[in-house]
Amino acid sequence: MSIPAIELMTTLRSGHSTSPRLTWYGPEAERVELSGRVLDNWVAKTSNLLQDELDAAPGMRVRLDLPAHWKSLIWGLATWQLGMEAVLEGADADYLVTDRPPSSKGNYDAIIAVALPALAMRWPGELPAGAIDYASDVRSHGDVFMAHADPAASTCAVHGHDGQRHLHENLLDSFAASHEEGVRLLVPAADGLEAALANSLGAWQSGGSVVLAHPDVELTDHLLATERIHGS
């Protein structure tokens, strides 16, 4: 049985292939816009990195130690597409994905360092021994994802900050926030990664799109009008 995250990626890839699905406003005038097809390509590349390079499999756990950011949403979607669990609180996981890599691997099978600047082609500076440079490595992976193993809908998809767990089969019902059909949703990054993931899932499943804004970005009337933001 296909899990909701896989069905969502199919919808974004086919039903909204050319229209914007995720727009990021970051510091220093960063603006990144991903159509459904481009969003799916990033998620596929990240899923392939996990599966092919790191031997990730359904049921394994990924600690997402990241702020709310467009790359963080990519990682959430890739984790779920593989049938893995996104750990948003605590350190007990198979993999650590972070923008502040520790000096040693600890108990993780792998540490993936994520450089947040939009144009980063590699991690700035030296990485700890054994850490994987996401910006550099992800580009070599394929744009299409084919799972090696079928994920189980009854396994955990999210371990949230309140300790609450959500299963893959309930991801779009119990975890995703409810939003109106076709919403162009403003998601403040200051609300944190869990809120960004839940709100983005809710917007996408209703056929909408997301504008994710860094806390340093001034949300002017001009910006809101330009992005046609009309719901929350």
Side-chain angles (χ1 to χ4, degrees):
M1 182 179 69
S2 181
I3 60 176
I6 294 175
E7 296 171 1
L8 176 63
M9 295 314 303
T10 300
T11 300
L12 290 172
R13 179 170 60 248
S14 56
H16 304 285
S17 61
T18 59
S19 55
R21 294 299 102 189
L22 174 59
T23 306
W24 160 256
Y25 278 87
E28 300 181 13
E30 274 190 0
R31 185 182 184 277
V32 176
E33 185 167 276
L34 284 72
S35 66
R37 181 182 297 119
V38 174
L39 176 58
D40 177 68
N41 285 352
W42 272 98
V43 175
K45 285 178 175 292
T46 304
S47 299
N48 284 324
L49 183 155
L50 276 166
Q51 177 175 259
D52 299 338
E53 189 169 332
L54 301 177
D55 296 322
M60 297 180 78
R61 311 181 82 214
V62 180
R63 172 69 172 102
L64 298 181
D65 178 34
L66 294 167
H69 188 275
W70 70 270
K71 294 181 183 179
S72 310
L73 299 188
I74 297 293
W75 269 99
L77 289 168
T79 297
W80 294 324
Q81 181 168 244
L82 270 161
M84 302 174 73
E85 178 180 348
V87 179
L88 305 179
E89 182 179 79
D92 182 17
D94 300 287
Y95 306 101
L96 173 65
V97 180
T98 182
D99 63 325
R100 43 184 186 175
S103 58
S104 66
K105 283 175 61 175
N107 294 324
Y108 296 107
D109 292 344
I111 293 174
I112 303 96
V114 179
L116 297 181
L119 299 179
M121 300 296 289
R122 62 186 58 84
W123 182 263
E126 295 294 322
L127 275 175
I132 292 169
D133 184 348
Y134 174 68
S136 174
D137 285 15
V138 73
R139 300 175 189 278
S140 65
H141 290 275
D143 292 343
V144 177
F145 174 68
M146 298 292 289
H148 293 171
D150 292 332
S154 60
T155 57
C156 187
V158 180
H159 181 172
H161 289 294
D162 57 0
Q164 190 171 0
R165 303 169 83 90
H166 303 270
L167 304 183
H168 278 281
E169 61 189 354
N170 300 325
L171 186 65
L172 299 183
D173 296 322
S174 67
F175 179 68
S178 178
H179 293 293
E180 66 183 33
E181 193 72 21
V183 66
R184 180 70 167 156
L185 183 68
L186 175 64
V187 177
D191 291 347
L193 179 55
E194 184 166 347
L197 287 167
N199 280 296
S200 297
L201 282 175
W204 289 327
Q205 76 161 330
S206 69
S209 58
V210 171
V211 177
L212 180 63
H214 187 277
D216 291 346
V217 173
E218 183 181 0
L219 301 174
T220 63
D221 291 340
H222 175 72
L223 185 154
L224 298 177
T226 298
E227 295 298 342
R228 302 184 304 281
I229 293 169
H230 57 80
S232 60

